[in-house]
Amino acid sequence: MKLTWQLDLPRGSNITQLINYELVNLLSGLLESVRLKKPLMPSSMLQVAEGLALPGAKHLPTTYTAPISTPTIPEVELSHGSIPIIDLEALHGPRRSNIVKQLGHACQHQGFFAVKNHGIPKRTVNGIFDTTREFFHLPVEERMKFHTPDPNSEIRLMTAYKDEVENLFIARESLKFHCHPVENYVNKWPTNPTSFRKKAAEYLTNVRRVELTLLDAISESLGLERDYIEKRLGGHYVSLNYYRACEQSDLVTTLGVRGHTDPTVITILLQDDVPGLQVLSEGKWMDVNPIPDTVVVHVGDLLQAISNYRYKSLLHQAVVNSDKERMSIASYCYPSSDAMIGPPKELIDNNNPAVYKDFTYGEFYKQMWKVITPTDKRLDSFKISAP
Ligand code: OGA
Ligand code: NI
């Protein structure tokens, strides 16, 4: 194994801290892979499927055939598209069918939307951000207790890293864990800070309610039974994302997260007030600046399959900010492992042939580890006709 060390870290980052951090990261990865008698996975590979894990799955993926290649975006300039805003409260009133139409339109044409009147109390939102900030301000040894190369671990810290192949510095640190139902997982979560479990449970219970309301409306927007997607749901996974303030360096491109689609049904992203999220819109990156009191919802790969390619998985990335730290809370929902993901018969006719064959979430999960890509190309082996 070749170990190299390069000091071309982003300007503005605390170099001593980053070096300590990466060394602990490297050592703990080595120790863990010896303990598990498993190959050491480069962290860039781990990022491929970081969006989800199958609870209870025992295998570690072993097939890594190619480095990740970040999708090439033809234009680097920014698009100035607008952000569709869906009023969640109105879904419970006489305007429901109108709101369902708006939601379907946003999923079909933009792949994302913001949600207002979601009913998550402000103190709950402040609570999850406060406890996330406190966690990421803890000493590195304390945070590293959650670091493991095992993607099936119920809780896992992912660190910033340098991707040597693409010369990218990925600045995000994130704590990812299973969280539904809360009582099955809460005793794995941090106890430092002391408020962590309570504040995380409060936010996650609220976000699950929003997720179910949205999935009912999304099923309806596709002309399916309201509970079509909900019936197929499995777990819920959350990523507390922390982006330290860090400047672009001349030597390496620095990103918060590289361009990717989420391997989920939908993702609900809560951003703090620091911009950073960008989505692909008409071939260009578009800033999705935070709108107070809203959450952002992304179409994930699995909704692309369930909708027979009517709704497209959203390509998105996060950029870093040179003088402010940034946090976001990404809630990922995914199906149970035996749930059929291939398109429902209601969406197939002579004009709309099935784009994907029937496959289960379990099969998708296995495939995801074989195809090293951070995009919806994970679905390609299930394709049976060109969309
Ligand atoms: C994610 C993600 C973007 C952000 O966690 O999957 O895309 O703005 N996050 O933090
Ligand atoms: Ni994402």
Side-chain angles (χ1 to χ4, degrees):
M1 179 167 35
K2 186 170 146 244
L3 293 178
T4 52
W5 189 255
Q6 297 194 5
L7 282 179
D8 47 354
L9 294 163
R11 275 202 309 265
S13 47
N14 178 333
I15 292 196
T16 319
Q17 190 183 25
L18 275 171
I19 292 175
N20 284 339
Y21 188 48
E22 284 292 324
L23 281 178
V24 180
N25 182 0
L26 184 67
L27 282 175
S28 88
L30 281 169
L31 288 174
E32 190 64 10
S33 53
V34 169
R35 188 177 73 74
L36 295 169
K37 300 198 183 60
K38 291 290 190 310
L40 179 71
M41 289 176 287
S43 48
S44 55
M45 300 278 181
L46 293 180
Q47 212 211 10
V48 172
E50 67 179 34
L52 80 176
L54 207 55
K58 290 286 178 283
H59 68 279
L60 263 182
T62 48
T63 2
Y64 301 106
T65 45
I68 297 177
S69 89
T70 304
T72 316
I73 308 303
E75 298 271 357
V76 287
E77 77 227 59
L78 282 183
S79 136
H80 296 289
S82 61
I83 305 175
I85 301 186
I86 302 296
D87 182 346
L88 201 73
E89 205 171 54
L91 270 179
H92 302 296
R95 288 172 51 226
R96 180 175 175 94
S97 63
N98 187 12
I99 304 293
V100 167
K101 261 197 214 119
Q102 286 177 19
L103 199 142
H105 188 273
C107 287
Q108 186 163 354
H109 299 286
Q110 272 122 319
F112 79 104
F113 51 90
V115 172
K116 66 175 181 182
N117 294 328
H118 47 62
I120 308 176
K122 228 184 169 88
R123 72 173 155 73
T124 308
V125 167
N126 291 340
I128 188 77
F129 281 134
D130 289 345
T131 206
T132 299
R133 184 185 308 103
E134 273 183 67
F135 176 82
F136 286 106
H137 286 187
L138 289 173
V140 64
E141 316 77 63
E142 190 63 25
R143 305 198 303 277
M144 290 305 283
K145 287 180 185 162
F146 295 94
H147 186 257
T148 161
D150 176 4
N152 296 313
S153 170
E154 285 170 0
I155 183 158
R156 186 168 177 229
L157 182 91
M158 309 276 293
T159 60
Y161 64 92
K162 167 98 186 280
D163 176 337
E164 302 283 351
V165 180
E166 299 210 27
N167 202 32
L168 279 177
F169 184 75
I170 305 292
R172 172 169 75 170
E173 194 178 326
S174 58
L175 184 69
K176 297 173 188 298
F177 48 95
H178 286 282
C179 52
H180 181 76
V182 164
E183 57 278 14
N184 287 6
Y185 297 106
V186 66
N187 61 2
K188 296 273 165 41
W189 304 353
T191 48
N192 185 9
T194 46
S195 64
F196 187 95
R197 291 184 175 180
K198 183 167 175 287
K199 290 184 171 165
E202 193 175 311
Y203 175 74
L204 293 165
T205 312
N206 270 276
V207 88
R208 182 74 176 179
R209 174 182 48 73
V210 173
E211 182 179 286
L212 296 180
T213 307
L214 284 169
L215 290 175
D216 277 12
I218 288 174
S219 300
E220 201 175 327
S221 75
L222 289 165
L224 302 169
E225 295 287 323
R226 268 196 201 183
D227 61 357
Y228 184 91
I229 298 176
E230 190 178 333
K231 273 203 308 224
R232 287 162 176 76
L233 275 194
H236 189 123
Y237 198 60
V238 66
S239 179
L240 310 184
N241 299 321
Y242 182 77
Y243 305 91
R244 259 163 241 290
C246 103
E247 274 177 27
Q248 280 291 352
S249 123
D250 300 334
L251 298 166
V252 59
T253 306
T254 304
L255 278 175
V257 191
R258 73 176 79 220
H260 68 283
T261 65
D262 291 343
T264 58
V265 181
I266 55 171
T267 300
I268 301 185
L269 189 79
L270 175 71
Q271 306 190 71
D272 68 5
D273 54 3
V274 181
L277 175 66
Q278 296 186 332
V279 303
L280 191 68
S281 167
E282 293 169 3
K284 299 174 189 174
W285 290 116
M286 169 182 147
D287 285 326
V288 182
N289 291 338
I291 304 173
D293 304 322
T294 65
V295 291
V296 176
V297 178
H298 300 167
V299 172
D301 297 348
L302 301 167
L303 183 54
Q304 175 170 312
I306 293 170
S307 69
N308 199 30
Y309 211 79
R310 193 188 301 179
Y311 300 165
K312 318 286 183 309
S313 194
L314 180 76
L315 192 64
H316 56 285
Q317 67 175 16
V319 294
V320 286
N321 192 292
S322 57
D323 46 34
K324 281 188 183 157
E325 63 182 2
R326 172 172 182 261
M327 288 176 290
S328 71
I329 316 292
S331 299
Y332 307 113
C333 73
Y334 56 91
S336 54
S337 60
D338 57 355
M340 266 308 162
I341 305 306
K345 59 181 180 337
E346 292 89 329
L347 299 185
I348 300 169
D349 57 31
N350 286 343
N351 296 329
N352 300 288
V355 172
Y356 300 103
K357 64 180 179 187
D358 278 349
F359 61 97
T360 63
Y361 175 65
E363 289 168 317
F364 172 83
Y365 185 79
K366 268 197 219 140
Q367 180 62 14
M368 189 170 69
W369 289 107
K370 287 193 198 143
V371 189
I372 301 298
T373 168
T375 70
D376 64 324
K377 285 193 172 36
R378 304 169 182 115
L379 288 167
D380 281 1
S381 68
F382 304 109
K383 250 189 195 160
I384 49 175
S385 71

